[in-house]
Amino acid sequence: MKLFSYSSCSTCRRAIKWLENNDISFELVDILKSPPSKEMLISASELYGHRKYLLNTSGAIYRSMGSDVVKKMTDNELFEKLFIEPRLIKRPFLFKSSKCFLVGFKEEMWSEKLLRNSN
């Protein structure tokens, strides 16, 4: 299991603490140095049902681009942009398997997927 995280992200720190408190082993990956692959991003988008769930809409880069620009991007353009500018990816980004991605940290969702579900 890989947790793509950003060291100054308080939500990422909460997720790390939650994983540690629940004795869940994971590989911590700096999302800026080694972002999720385009394939991972595409799979997560398909699993969530829409690419918008992958976007860090509160970040400065997203706000400077504007939602209209992002909406006009093709999927290929967007996934390429997310890969080269990982600060656009909502964090933390957890990859457990091709059928289990968690984007952002919501304790209820993480509990359901990681403590009660074996995907």
Side-chain angles (χ1 to χ4, degrees), residues 13-71:
R13 289 192 301 270
R14 283 196 341 265
I16 290 167
K17 184 176 181 178
W18 184 88
L19 289 167
E20 291 171 346
N21 288 344
N22 285 284
D23 295 320
I24 298 171
S25 60
F26 62 96
E27 176 186 349
L28 186 60
V29 179
D30 184 329
I31 198 167
L32 299 182
K33 293 179 182 171
S34 293
S37 68
K38 283 189 268 184
E39 293 77 17
M40 275 187 198
L41 294 168
I42 291 167
S43 293
S45 173
E46 290 170 351
L47 191 66
Y48 273 82
H50 199 283
R51 65 190 202 173
K52 69 182 179 184
Y53 297 109
L54 302 182
L55 296 169
N56 177 15
T57 57
S58 62
I61 293 175
Y62 180 87
R63 289 193 316 262
S64 70
M65 288 174 57
S67 63
D68 288 340
V69 170
V70 174
K71 286 176 186 174

Side-chain angles (χ1 to χ4, degrees), residues 4-5 21 24 69 71 73 85 87 105:
F4 294 88
S5 177
N21 288 344
I24 298 171
V69 170
K71 286 176 186 174
M73 291 177 149
E85 187 46 81
R87 288 179 290 180
F105 179 66

